[in-house]
């Protein structure tokens, strides 16, 4: 059995949980899939049919703490004996998956971008050295292996659903589990954008030339209903905050539409956005590597093209 751990915040399912389900379905080859939703609630209804939905309802899970989460997931694993535990490589998973693996003495394969094969013989692909190498990992041992999937590596829309069944509540005692109490989020943390959840992104690179020119991209983003993002030099210069950086040392994103303006397409940038569904690149250099991953490429000056695009989109939406 493969156990997927879904993630929710204030009752809203993290979009990346579907990608973890897609990964599990790709691996399953007829094996049953169960989806654990710590905290339970309405999100269980949305998941129904993609696998057997298991919930753990406990006030200790209302706000995330690593202690309660590890106790809940470890308890569910003890009761269901999965062969594999799959989750999305979210901030939360990064926080608690290593602790869970240590608790269970289980192998952890983090940031998986692909799988080879199905069933017990499947292996996992994960990037190393800033994406320069891809390692193929075969977890060892009898216990369950824990796998986290890079955001954007598996397609949420590939999930197939059977007949929905009612969720099954597991009873896992958590009272003594948490040594942490949760305080309201910091102001800064509340404002930080999780670009991994964005459906549309307009990203700017050094081709934008100056901080005050970013307004050109922001107008396009506003017209498209997109989040603004950037390559590293833009954030290093302080032209946009660090939480807008996409790439190996920034965020990994997988929007439906990624528009790259004046970004050359260095490998460290590409690893953060190549999972986007549709990539549009505007660059005046026809040989820029960004065009190798772009679905649509426009060779030209962004200062001519972007205002024209913005005007056209604004015209269409009036
Ligand atoms: C350890 C490490 C980690 C890194 N992590 C990241 C990371 O997380 N994210 C990241 O992005 N980078 C990262 N980098 C940096 C990365 O290697 C590149 O230097 C960076 O991505 C380049 O940014 P850029 O494409 O904006 O700039 P450039 O490479 O300078 O490209 C600018 C592009 O704009 C085009 N251009 C110029 N003027 C115009 C115009 N008027 N109209 C249209 N196009 C124009 C040019 O043709 C060029 O292709 C990392 C590097 C290292 C060593």
């Amino acid at each position: 059995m493969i156990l997927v751990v879904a993630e929710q915040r204030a009752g809203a399912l993290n979009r990346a949980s579907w990608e973890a389900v897609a990964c599990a379905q790709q691996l399953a080859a007829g094996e049953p899939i169960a989806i654990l939703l710590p905290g339970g609630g309405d999100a269980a209804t949305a998941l129904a049919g993609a696998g057997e939905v298991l919930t753990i309802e406990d006030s200790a899970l209302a706000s995330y703490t690593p202690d309660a989460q590890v106790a809940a997931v470890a308890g569910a694993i003890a009761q269901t004996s999965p062969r594999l535990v799959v989750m999305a490589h979210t901030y939360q998973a990064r926080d608690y998956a290593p602790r869970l693996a240590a608790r269970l003495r289980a192998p952890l394969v983090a940031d998986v971008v692909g799988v080879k094969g199905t069933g017990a013989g499947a292996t996992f692909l994960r990037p190393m050295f800033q994406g320069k190498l891809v390692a193929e990992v075969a977890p060892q041992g009898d216990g369950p292996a824990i796998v986290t999937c890079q955001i954007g590596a598996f397609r949420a829309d590939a999930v197939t659903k059977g007949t929905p069944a009612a969720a099954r509540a597991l009873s896992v005692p958590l009272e003594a589990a948490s040594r942490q109490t949760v305080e309201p989020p910091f102001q800064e943390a509340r404002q930080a954008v999780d670009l991994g959840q964005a459906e549309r992104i307009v990203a700017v690179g050094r081709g934008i030339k100056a901080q005050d020119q970013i307004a050109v991209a922001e107008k396009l983003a506003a017209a498209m209903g997109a989040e603004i993002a950037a390559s590293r030099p833009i954030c290093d210069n302080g032209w946009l905050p660090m939480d807008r950086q996409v790439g190996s040392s920034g965020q990994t994103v997988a929007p439906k539409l990624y528009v790259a303006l004046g970004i050359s397409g260095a490998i460290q940038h590409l690893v953060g956005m190549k999972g986007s569904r549709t990539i549009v690149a505007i660059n005046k250099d026809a040989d820029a590597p960004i065009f190798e991953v772009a679905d649509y490429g426009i060779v030209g000056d962004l200062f001519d093209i972007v205002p024209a695009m913005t005007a056209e989109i604004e015209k269409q939406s009036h």
Side-chain angles (χ1 to χ4, degrees):
M1 191 267 276
I2 302 180
L3 181 69
V4 178
V5 185
E7 189 176 310
Q8 60 174 331
R9 196 180 204 174
L13 201 61
N14 188 317
R15 215 158 61 86
S17 296
W18 291 110
E19 300 176 13
V21 175
C23 171
Q25 289 186 340
Q26 188 181 331
L27 282 160
E31 233 175 324
I33 292 175
I35 307 170
L36 175 68
L37 182 68
D42 290 346
T45 317
L47 291 165
E52 184 192 13
V53 180
L54 307 174
T55 58
I56 301 174
E57 316 241 353
D58 194 301
S59 56
L61 296 169
S63 293
Y64 167 79
T65 64
D67 275 352
Q69 180 80 3
V70 167
V73 180
I77 291 171
Q79 289 180 29
T80 57
S81 307
R83 186 179 63 78
L84 273 179
V85 179
V86 180
M87 59 188 82
H89 195 72
T90 58
Y91 288 125
Q92 198 169 298
R94 277 178 235 199
D95 187 50
Y96 83 87
R99 183 186 293 227
L100 176 68
R103 165 82 59 94
L104 302 174
R105 298 193 175 280
L108 170 64
V109 192
D111 210 19
V112 164
V113 293
V115 297
K116 271 192 180 173
T118 55
T123 54
F124 301 91
L125 305 177
R126 61 180 304 272
M128 295 175 72
F129 303 114
Q130 308 283 359
K132 285 202 165 56
L133 288 179
V134 175
E136 187 176 346
V137 182
Q140 313 225 310
D142 302 328
I146 299 166
V147 170
T148 70
C149 306
Q150 187 177 100
I151 291 180
F154 297 88
R155 293 187 61 156
D157 60 4
V159 170
T160 55
K161 279 194 169 188
T163 320
R168 178 156 68 95
L170 300 180
S171 167
V172 178
L174 299 178
E175 311 82 59
S178 190
R179 295 163 296 177
Q180 297 120 359
T181 48
V182 182
E183 302 212 338
F186 291 116
Q187 185 66 23
E188 198 177 48
R190 217 175 334 168
Q191 280 175 347
V193 274
D194 185 358
L195 292 176
Q197 304 295 317
E199 293 220 335
R200 289 179 284 268
I201 289 178
V202 171
V204 284
R206 205 144 42 183
I208 202 81
K209 304 268 190 321
Q211 184 168 19
D212 54 7
Q213 308 273 33
I214 290 178
V216 175
E218 280 170 340
K219 277 190 197 136
L220 176 63
M224 283 171 48
E227 288 286 352
I228 195 94
S231 65
R232 180 164 159 172
I234 301 300
C235 299
D236 281 352
N237 284 349
W239 294 356
L240 281 173
M242 295 306 287
D243 62 13
R244 299 278 168 179
Q245 182 180 318
V246 169
S248 59
S249 47
Q251 298 200 45
T252 303
V253 300
K256 288 188 176 152
L257 179 60
Y258 189 92
V259 183
L261 309 177
I263 292 179
S264 60
I267 182 69
Q268 294 88 354
H269 188 80
L270 297 186
V271 294
M273 46 65 77
K274 65 180 173 8
S276 306
R277 182 87 51 85
T278 302
I279 298 170
V280 177
I282 302 173
N283 196 304
K284 64 181 186 187
D285 174 8
D287 295 324
I290 190 79
F291 288 127
E292 285 168 28
V293 298
D295 300 286
Y296 299 94
I298 305 173
V299 178
D301 189 329
L302 74 90
F303 296 106
D304 296 334
I305 297 158
V306 175
M309 274 172 80
T310 309
E312 196 58 34
I313 293 169
E314 282 170 349
K315 217 189 302 167
Q316 300 291 331
S317 50
H318 283 312

